[in-house]
Every structure is written in C-alpha cells, then in structure tokens.
Amino acid sequence: MPDAAIAPRSLPLTDLSEDERMFRDQVRQFAEDRIRPLVAKMDDEARIPRELIDACFELGIMGIEIPEEHGGAAATFFMAVLVVEELARVDASVAVLVDVQNTLVNNALLRWGTEPQRARYFPKLASSWVGAYALSEAGSGSDAFALACRALDRGDHYELNGRKLWITNAGEAELFIVLANVDPSKGYKGITAFLVERSFPGFAVGKKENKLGIRASSTCELILESCRVPKENVLGEVGKGYRIAIETLNEGRIGIGAQMVGVAQGSFEHGLRYAQERQQFGRPIAEFQAVQFLLAELATEIEASRLLTYNAARLRDVGSPFIKEAAIAKLFASRAAEHVTSKVVEIYGGYGFTREYPVEKYYRDQKVGQIYEGTSHMQLAVIAKQILGKRG
Ligand SMILES: Cc1cc2nc3c(=O)[nH]c(=O)nc-3n(C[C@H](O)[C@H](O)[C@H](O)COP(=O)(O)OP(=O)(O)OC[C@H]3O[C@@H](n4cnc5c(N)ncnc54)[C@H](O)[C@@H]3O)c2cc1C
C-alpha cells in the first residue's frame, strides 16, 4: 500500500491524490474479485470466512493508520474512509469489520496507547489480530456512561466484572477495548478503558446476535467474570475512559458515514443497470421520466452524502474541528442510504423483493447506520449542542 499524502486543501473534495486513487482502485478490485463472489453465502451463513479476513490483512487494510515501524501502512484517516466506502459498496459486513479495526481500535491505540502497548499490539493488529470496541451494555446504549461494568483495583491488576452487548467483531477478535467503571461514586469520571485480550482469564464471548442486516458481521455479548487485566493494560488514564469513548466515536462515526455512502452507491449501481435493461411497455424502464428523475434524486443524495463524509474525514486529518460535520455526515448518509436502497428495491419491482437479487440485502444492511455509533437522535443531539454552543 502506498504512503499517504493528504490532498492539498485547494483540491475539490472528491478529487483524490495519486496515492488515494491508487489505493481506492486497489481496494475496489479486491472487493470485486474476492468479496463479491462470497456476499450471498456470507449473508446466509452469517459469517465472514477467516481466509477473507486474512486477505484483508495481506492487502494492508487492517492497519491503515498504524505506523510503518509497527507493520502498518502509516496512511491517513481519509484513506480508511475510502476503504470502508469501497468495501461497503460490495458488502457492508466486511466494511464494518475493517471500519471498527481502523477507526475505533487502532485509532484509540494511536491516540492513547503507551509505547509498550503500541509495540505489543500494533504488529498483531496490522498482521492477524482483529480488534473490537466494547462500550454498550444491555442497560446502557445511548446513555453510554451509565455502564454497569466494574473494574476493581487488585494491586497489580484490575478485576473486571460485567457484561457487554452488541460487540462488533467479537466473534473473531483477539483484542477488545473494554470500558468499565473503577469508581461508580465518581459517575462517568470513573470510566476507564482497558485493553483486554481474548485469552485473559475470566473473559468469554457469549451469544451471537441473529440480525436483520450486516448478518456476516459478528455481533456478540461479552462476559467478564473476575477477568484479570494487568495494570499496564489500562488505555489512557484511569478515570479518563469517557474521553476515549467520546472522542473515538466522534471519529468512528465518519467511518459509518462512509459505510452508508458505500451501501447506497452499491445499491444504486444495481438500480441504474437494471433500469436500463428491464423492458416494460416495449422500452427500458429508464426511458420513463419517473424512473429517470428517481435515479437523478438518488444520485444527488449519494453525492451529498459523499461530500459530507469526505469533508469530515479531511477536516479530521488536518486537525480542524470536525465533530458537528462528522455527526451531520453520519445522520445524512444513513438517511440517504435508507432512501436509496428502498427505492432501488422498487426499481427492481417484484424481483427486488426476493432474495434471488442482490438489492434487498442492501436495504437490510443500511438500517444499522441509524443505530450504531450513536442513533440518529444522538447525532441530532450532537449537532444541536454544537450549533447552540452548549458545553458538556
Ligand atoms: C449491529 C450492531 C453492532 C453494534 N456494535 C457495537 C460495538 O461494536 N460496540 C459497542 O459498544 N456498541 C455496539 N452497538 C451498540 C449500539 O451502539 C447501540 O445499539 C446504540 O448506541 C443504541 O443503544 P440501544 O440499542 O441501547 O438503544 P437505546 O439507547 O435504548 O435507544 C432506543 C431509542 O431511544 C432513542 N433515545 C434514547 N435516548 C434518547 C434521547 N436522550 N433523546 C432522544 N432519543 C433517545 C434512541 O435514539 C433510539 O431510537 C452495536 C449495535 C448494533 C445493532
């Protein structure tokens, strides 16, 4: 994978640098050659084959921002966004596996990891270990800081107890960033992030969810029963986990925006092709103005989603404020994906409603974009807080 060069600010948002274009094309080819043939089977079997995950590692897309000395590609966050979009154009499950790895797990380690933590985990995360990010619980979703998972200081280690729910990649992951509270009397200021290895005593992966969409992506419960975590595995400072949770999700939701752009784009390409092939009343349905205008509307929504998402990612890469832009991008792109994928099912008519054709899967896969990494209500709350200048 090439070195990244951040595109100069004067470039239009969708005008990619040479490195970005080459990388995007390489990932697009990979998605077509290696992922597309497996999409329906992965959805049916609700799993991503390990060989495909290994191929993602070989391509260098599991350690996009990881420094070269630790085996990564030392590229930009924007590159990660391009990768997630391209993968989601073909399969949203593979896209979210790669998204969580890069925008949440690697990102948090990059920002808050100590040098020994990076030296231990980055080479693994760049070459074979899948990562997961565990904040949500049965009783705390949108109200994430109400988490009940506890961490007790046992001198040389912490003991973690509790359960996590909805954890993406948990089926495959070797490393989990787990948020737990060291002192509930301090409220959210007791929340601390821990680097938990799958093999740590007292750690187990529980039930796997049977889902509407992104079925091949594993979403599981985590069970922590006197789970022993060495003190050196605290990520960032004790009591500062709430900042890690907020700040990684602020960035992570740009990745979900990209996933939704990719889902909408992939679905749209099917609709565009089908509209030109399907004949009714003696002509392709694309010759009816109603269908033409619908395609034009959908293309407009996708373009707007992409611009919002690319802008948020580029703002993040140059160190400018991006929180409002990231929330807007996710909110808008996930709504657009719902509309686009729904209308493409209609363009296919009755065929669109069957599992024989690929478009119903895009419709199912998009729905999660309005739920995870903050529901649409939570994105509106973030945007409102930003525009009203509220603190807290
Ligand atoms: C497939 C999948 C994968 C996931 N992966 C992960 C993961 O890897 N790691 C992780 O930590 N979590 C993960 N999650 C959890 C996800 O982030 C939560 O589901 C999400 O934050 C919503 O929480 P909840 O499900 O408890 O819904 P709730 O918070 O109970 O929300 C229910 C409804 O109430 C609304 N609501 C709640 N509070 C307010 C409010 N103050 N104002 C207005 N409306 C409100 C919500 O918007 C929503 O419509 C995943 C979820 C899914 C479905």
Side-chain angles (χ1 to χ4, degrees):
M1 209 182 80
D3 281 349
I6 297 174
R9 271 166 179 262
S10 56
L11 279 180
L13 284 172
T14 50
D15 199 349
L16 305 182
S17 71
E18 186 58 26
D19 282 345
E20 288 166 350
R21 192 167 34 253
M22 274 171 49
F23 189 39
R24 195 263 324 262
D25 292 349
Q26 203 183 348
V27 176
R28 184 172 291 183
Q29 200 61 49
F30 172 81
E32 291 297 342
D33 296 347
R34 301 291 302 271
I35 304 176
R36 190 148 341 246
L38 302 175
V39 170
K41 189 166 184 270
M42 291 194 298
D43 187 52
D44 281 347
E45 294 178 358
R47 61 179 284 273
I48 301 173
R50 182 66 215 192
E51 309 81 72
L52 185 56
I53 297 172
D54 289 340
C56 291
F57 279 108
E58 280 158 30
L59 189 63
I61 59 175
M62 296 297 270
I64 297 170
E65 285 188 277
I66 291 179
E68 273 173 356
E69 70 262 30
H70 292 311
T76 58
F77 187 83
F78 182 76
M79 289 281 212
V81 157
L82 277 182
V83 169
V84 172
E85 179 189 344
E86 284 306 321
L87 296 174
R89 179 177 157 268
V90 174
D91 186 70
S93 291
V94 178
V96 78
L97 179 127
V98 173
D99 174 75
V100 167
Q101 178 92 1
N102 287 286
T103 73
L104 297 181
V105 179
N106 296 343
N107 189 9
L109 259 170
L110 256 182
R111 294 190 52 189
W112 291 281
T114 60
E115 206 32 60
Q117 288 171 346
R118 290 158 169 233
R120 172 164 173 78
Y121 292 117
F122 273 156
K124 292 181 163 72
L125 288 164
S127 63
S128 60
W129 275 23
V130 173
Y133 178 89
L135 173 65
S136 304
E137 299 178 2
S140 76
S142 300
D143 188 10
F145 294 162
L147 59 84
C149 194
R150 294 287 172 260
L152 291 170
D153 189 338
R154 295 291 193 203
D156 64 333
H157 70 277
Y158 279 95
E159 186 185 291
L160 269 55
N161 283 288
R163 289 185 177 219
K164 294 286 174 186
L165 203 62
W166 312 116
I167 307 309
T168 300
N169 291 354
E172 303 81 11
E174 294 293 339
L175 182 67
F176 297 77
I177 295 180
V178 176
L179 280 302
N181 201 316
V182 293
D183 184 356
S185 71
K186 291 189 178 148
Y188 72 91
K189 288 189 176 164
I191 295 175
T192 305
F194 296 90
L195 294 164
V196 179
E197 296 183 23
R198 195 183 192 96
S199 60
F200 282 177
F203 178 87
V205 175
K207 177 176 164 266
K208 180 177 165 187
E209 304 297 335
N210 184 8
K211 306 192 298 296
L212 168 75
I214 57 162
R215 291 178 51 76
S217 161
S218 66
T219 312
C220 314
E221 185 184 24
L222 306 184
I223 302 159
L224 299 133
E225 283 177 351
S226 302
C227 176
R228 198 184 161 94
V229 180
K231 282 234 159 127
E232 61 266 26
N233 277 35
V234 170
L235 180 64
E237 287 175 49
V238 173
K240 291 282 172 63
Y242 70 93
R243 277 197 55 200
I244 296 180
I246 291 179
E247 292 183 25
T248 36
L249 289 175
N250 281 340
E251 301 186 348
R253 61 179 58 121
I254 307 174
I256 302 305
Q259 185 197 26
M260 292 297 110
V261 174
V263 167
Q265 178 68 37
S267 159
F268 179 76
E269 288 173 19
H270 284 292
L272 190 62
R273 205 166 34 241
Y274 188 81
Q276 293 168 87
E277 286 165 10
R278 173 67 174 172
Q279 303 254 343
Q280 287 293 279
F281 300 96
R283 65 183 70 166
I285 58 169
E287 287 188 13
F288 300 117
Q289 196 182 51
V291 175
Q292 290 175 1
F293 280 15
L294 177 59
L295 290 169
E297 292 281 359
L298 303 184
T300 305
E301 288 171 30
I302 296 170
E303 185 75 7
S305 304
R306 183 174 289 117
L307 291 172
L308 288 169
T309 303
Y310 285 12
N311 187 47
R314 292 217 194 270
L315 285 172
R316 187 274 190 193
D317 272 336
V318 297
S320 295
F322 65 89
I323 295 173
K324 180 187 71 180
E325 290 77 4
I328 289 176
K330 178 180 182 282
L331 177 76
F332 190 92
S334 59
R335 284 179 178 169
E338 180 170 43
H339 189 231
V340 170
T341 56
S342 169
K343 289 298 167 190
V344 169
V345 169
E346 290 178 35
I347 288 172
Y348 269 66
Y351 300 101
F353 203 63
T354 72
R355 299 195 73 167
E356 295 292 302
Y357 289 82
V359 292
E360 61 82 35
K361 177 176 174 291
Y362 285 98
Y363 183 56
R364 287 187 284 110
D365 283 349
Q366 57 73 28
K367 192 63 213 178
V368 74
Q370 295 179 43
I371 298 171
Y372 57 17
E373 299 204 25
T375 65
S376 289
H377 292 130
M378 292 300 110
Q379 305 310 317
L380 289 168
V382 170
I383 298 162
K385 194 157 95 178
Q386 293 287 320
I387 59 181
L388 292 167
K390 283 201 232 166
R391 289 170 57 83

